[in-house]
Amino acid sequence: MPAPDASPQCPEGGVRLLEAGGDAAMGLRVEGFQLLNCGTEEYVLEGYPEVTPRDGRGDRPEVAVVHGASEITTGVPDIEAPPQRVVLAPGQAAAWSVVWRNLVTDPSVPATTVTALEVVPRPDAPRLRLDLTRPLDLGNTGKLGTGPWTAVAR
């Protein structure tokens, strides 16, 4: 478990976004993320993160961000799980994932690539930005599914 970190590198709000890796098969993509409590107090999460995708220019592409995977696929347990309350002690992390299909269904519509995510972890929390080391290649289907916060095994 990471040690609590109250250094200047801990963003306002006491939490930091991290990439956690992903999986891709036959056009279906799943990417995982974590929210680390780098502050000195408990951090409580409920429901889903508020996610705003950003392209290479910093603009918000025309992408619908939906809760769960049902509008995209089935059989993704982490994304289809019911929301739960997650309490993070300093140094603990919560996970969440996104799912999409990398398909080009209309050659007249440009494919979308997301290079950053802006996330509001809970209501009234500061917006966090995560520049992705592996951009999300959304094709032109226009949908990104998000899973709920889940506790990371301690």
Side-chain angles (χ1 to χ4, degrees):
M1 167 185 346
D5 179 4
S7 71
Q9 296 154 343
C10 189
E12 176 188 358
V15 292
R16 176 182 304 121
L17 286 172
L18 307 166
E19 292 176 283
D23 192 14
M26 295 176 40
L28 182 65
R29 309 281 198 259
V30 177
E31 192 73 27
F33 301 94
Q34 289 189 353
L35 183 78
L36 173 67
N37 180 352
C38 55
T40 58
E41 299 178 12
E42 280 189 346
Y43 197 88
V44 179
L45 299 165
E46 293 190 54
Y48 297 82
E50 177 189 313
V51 178
T52 302
R54 296 290 176 188
D55 65 19
R57 294 183 309 272
D59 296 331
R60 181 181 178 150
E62 290 189 39
V63 173
V65 179
V66 298
H67 292 168
S70 65
E71 294 186 38
I72 298 161
T73 190
T74 59
V76 187
D78 291 345
I79 295 175
E80 294 171 343
Q84 60 183 336
R85 185 172 194 262
V86 178
V87 179
L88 303 178
Q92 291 182 328
W96 60 283
S97 298
V98 296
V99 64
W100 71 97
R101 286 205 176 274
N102 176 10
L103 297 175
V104 175
T105 57
D106 181 349
S108 68
V109 177
T112 299
T113 299
V114 172
T115 60
L117 295 176
E118 291 180 350
V119 176
V120 177
R122 62 184 186 188
D124 300 322
R127 181 174 299 274
L128 302 170
R129 181 182 171 98
L130 179 63
D131 292 316
L132 303 172
T133 59
R134 295 183 342 170
L136 309 182
D137 53 348
L138 301 182
N140 64 12
T141 58
K143 284 191 182 155
L144 181 67
T146 63
W149 294 112
T150 59
V152 173
R154 300 172 183 152

